[in-house]
Amino acid sequence: MTSARATAAHILSALICDRGSLTSHLQNNRQHSEFQLIQEYCYGCCRWFHLLHFFINALLRKPLKQKDSDVLCLLLLGLYQIREMNIPDHAAINETVEITCEIGKPWARGLVNGVLRNYLRQQQALERRAASNVVIATSHPKWLASMLHNSWPQQVDTLLKTNNGRAPMTLRVNLARTSRRAAAAKLKSASIGYQKGCLASSAIVLGQPQPAATVPGFDEGLVSVQDEASQLAVTLLDLKPGLRVLDACSAPGGKLSHILESEHSLAEVVAIDRSTERLGRLRQNLTRLGLTAQCQTADAAQTAIWWDGRPFDRILLDAPCSATGVIRRHPDIKLLRAAEDISKLQHQQQRLLKALWLCLAKDGLLLYSTCSVLAEENSTQIGTFLGDHGDAKIESMPVDWGVECMYGRQLLPLQQNGPDGFFYCLLRKM
């Protein structure tokens, strides 16, 4: 079996070459005997990629060729172990050097050894250089740091820091079958540390992440894993018996299952997602929870293909976005996203808004949400939509969390153990 370091180097190399996502690559290696270590290496190197790459560029005499991206990733791994892991320096260097043979690059032994040892010799000077530039020190691409500053000039320093933290593991209690108090008691009996969520009555934040299957009540469908910010969607939809509900862009189904748990007397619930694979995960979640919905694989904006013409009373549009509010959970966003992606996402978001608005009943509610913290994908998008749709109006949300924007409310990931970054705006059809 390939070693953990070599496996991590291959995964990181694929990400650098824009092949796949960290989530998909880790899923493919979940059966590896050292999966937890692979996960630690990959998350850490993605989290600190831009800072580590700064050091590597300063130490290399000339840049590595693209075909040697795996060697670059070994250097990333070596530096990450030296800086962030409780591994003796000599062990981190020697073991990283040995992996050059495993990945078929024995010629790089001297290079890897030299760069890592030179880092140790020059560490204080290099760290001072990095610390003088907040973008490098907090390991963000320049375009993203700039957009965060433009959207949140007062909070940007905190955002840049918390993006490099580890996201909390949060449970959503199935309040249709148990109470938060009862779920918390099971955690206490299992010696699992926790605290109650402060925004959603269904939320419990664990002291330490752990495999979902080991959480008391998970297999029985009494709890699910879902960030507290994401749990707020259902409270805003104003669900009532007899309503027809659409969850567009639904997979993997966290909000859908929360809808079904929260109101059992809905007339119909339809779930749309364009990914067959992700829709399969959605169905698995519904099966575990004992819930049902009409699930269809389709592009939600292509309503002629999937919509039967009957209007929906409630529509949840959790739109595709830059995911800049969940970088703690997906640090590869800092590698995979580019500035030009934002305008493409804006076009896709407007396309979905306009198409799904036609599916909404008069006096119905559409909840637009993203896990982005960029104004371009959130309040600005709603302003554009309102300018084109005279029959749409902002519906007030009786909440006090987050930051009130020109249109909608924004939660920011400003606390290491707090909720993710999320945006919500509720629209009523006049």
Side-chain angles (χ1 to χ4, degrees):
M1 179 177 287
T2 307
S3 69
R5 288 178 177 84
T7 301
H10 288 310
I11 291 174
L12 293 167
S13 179
L15 294 177
I16 290 173
C17 297
D18 200 22
R19 298 195 306 268
S21 68
L22 182 55
T23 299
S24 62
H25 287 300
L26 287 176
Q27 183 62 37
N28 292 337
N29 287 278
R30 192 164 288 277
Q31 301 307 314
H32 196 289
S33 60
E34 294 184 289
F35 175 75
Q36 297 295 331
L37 191 55
I38 294 170
Q39 189 175 40
E40 172 66 25
Y41 288 150
C42 290
Y43 267 75
C45 287
C46 286
R47 189 175 291 126
W48 295 107
F49 174 84
H50 294 85
L51 175 61
L52 300 178
H53 200 256
F54 168 81
F55 294 141
I56 292 169
N57 283 340
L59 294 165
L60 282 174
R61 292 179 180 175
K62 60 180 182 179
L64 290 164
K65 297 177 181 178
Q66 186 173 1
K67 66 184 181 67
D68 296 321
S69 61
D70 49 358
V71 176
L72 170 63
C73 292
L74 279 187
L75 293 172
L76 293 170
L77 283 165
L79 287 175
Y80 177 69
Q81 291 170 82
I82 291 170
R83 294 185 81 253
E84 303 293 336
M85 298 183 71
N86 189 25
I87 299 174
D89 294 343
H90 69 275
I93 293 173
N94 293 338
E95 291 172 12
T96 304
V97 169
E98 290 304 313
I99 303 301
T100 58
C101 295
E102 188 174 350
I103 66 171
K105 298 288 178 69
W107 60 263
R109 288 176 61 91
L111 182 147
V112 171
N113 183 68
V115 168
L116 296 181
R117 291 191 184 280
N118 280 334
Y119 169 76
L120 289 177
R121 295 186 190 101
Q122 304 175 39
Q123 186 171 9
Q124 291 186 353
L126 287 169
E127 295 285 352
R128 282 197 299 269
R129 283 176 58 189
S132 66
N133 185 317
V134 67
V135 175
I136 293 174
T138 56
S139 197
H140 282 69
K142 289 182 180 179
W143 71 266
L144 177 54
S146 177
M147 295 191 80
L148 289 174
H149 182 273
N150 291 340
S151 294
W152 305 103
Q154 302 301 318
Q155 299 93 341
V156 65
D157 288 344
T158 304
L159 285 172
L160 292 172
K161 291 177 182 177
T162 54
N163 277 348
N164 292 325
R166 298 169 186 258
M169 179 175 176
T170 304
L171 305 179
R172 184 189 77 240
V173 179
N174 185 348
L175 297 179
R177 296 178 55 190
T178 188
S179 66
R180 184 161 68 172
R181 177 179 293 181
K186 287 180 178 289
L187 293 172
K188 185 175 182 180
S189 296
S191 300
I192 297 175
Y194 69 90
Q195 64 183 38
K196 295 179 181 178
C198 56
L199 302 179
S201 61
S202 53
I204 297 178
V205 183
L206 300 188
Q208 294 291 332
Q210 60 185 75
T214 66
V215 175
F218 180 82
D219 287 341
E220 300 93 322
L222 300 179
V223 296
S224 299
V225 179
Q226 185 182 25
D227 185 74
E228 186 172 16
S230 183
Q231 294 182 39
L232 298 172
V234 167
T235 65
L236 300 173
L237 277 169
D238 189 25
L239 297 173
K240 299 174 182 178
L243 297 182
R244 190 165 189 254
V245 179
L246 169 67
D247 183 1
C249 311
S250 184
K255 297 180 184 67
L256 172 68
S257 54
H258 197 190
I259 288 171
L260 293 166
E261 290 172 1
S262 300
E263 179 52 71
H264 286 275
S265 299
L266 295 170
E268 185 179 30
V269 178
V270 178
I272 303 290
D273 200 273
R274 65 189 305 171
S275 169
T276 301
E277 180 181 353
R278 284 168 55 83
L279 207 59
R281 290 173 56 197
L282 180 149
R283 291 191 174 98
Q284 291 175 1
N285 284 328
L286 292 181
T287 299
R288 178 179 63 84
L289 294 164
L291 302 170
T292 58
Q294 292 190 27
C295 304
Q296 300 185 48
T297 302
D299 179 346
Q302 295 181 342
T303 55
I305 295 176
W306 61 266
W307 186 39
D308 61 8
R310 292 184 295 149
F312 292 94
D313 303 293
R314 300 287 186 272
I315 295 178
L316 170 60
L317 172 55
D318 190 22
C321 69
S322 63
T324 45
V326 292
I327 289 176
R328 295 179 302 174
R329 299 187 188 280
H330 304 283
D332 54 328
I333 289 168
K334 294 195 284 186
L335 280 71
L336 301 179
R337 286 280 181 231
E340 54 268 25
D341 293 335
I342 305 304
S343 60
K344 296 175 184 177
L345 288 164
Q346 286 179 291
H347 174 75
Q348 191 175 5
Q349 291 153 3
Q350 280 296 323
R351 175 174 167 266
L352 285 162
L353 269 169
K354 291 176 180 178
L356 294 174
W357 191 250
L358 299 175
C359 304
L360 185 65
K362 291 180 180 180
D363 202 39
L365 295 173
L366 184 150
L367 181 62
Y368 176 82
S369 69
T370 75
C371 56
S372 168
V373 295
L374 301 180
E376 290 85 349
E377 299 179 271
N378 297 332
S379 185
T380 301
Q381 284 288 57
I382 298 300
T384 300
F385 179 78
L386 292 174
D388 295 335
H389 294 78
D391 59 345
K393 80 159 189 172
I394 299 291
E395 187 78 0
S396 64
M397 297 183 290
V399 297
D400 58 4
W401 44 256
V403 180
E404 185 174 4
C405 306
M406 178 69 73
Y407 307 109
R409 295 190 76 88
Q410 178 77 63
L411 270 171
L412 296 170
L414 299 176
Q415 298 175 327
Q416 289 295 355
N417 212 38
D420 290 337
F422 238 92
F423 174 82
Y424 288 108
C425 187
L426 193 60
L427 299 168
R428 185 177 293 277
K429 194 169 191 177
M430 301 300 292

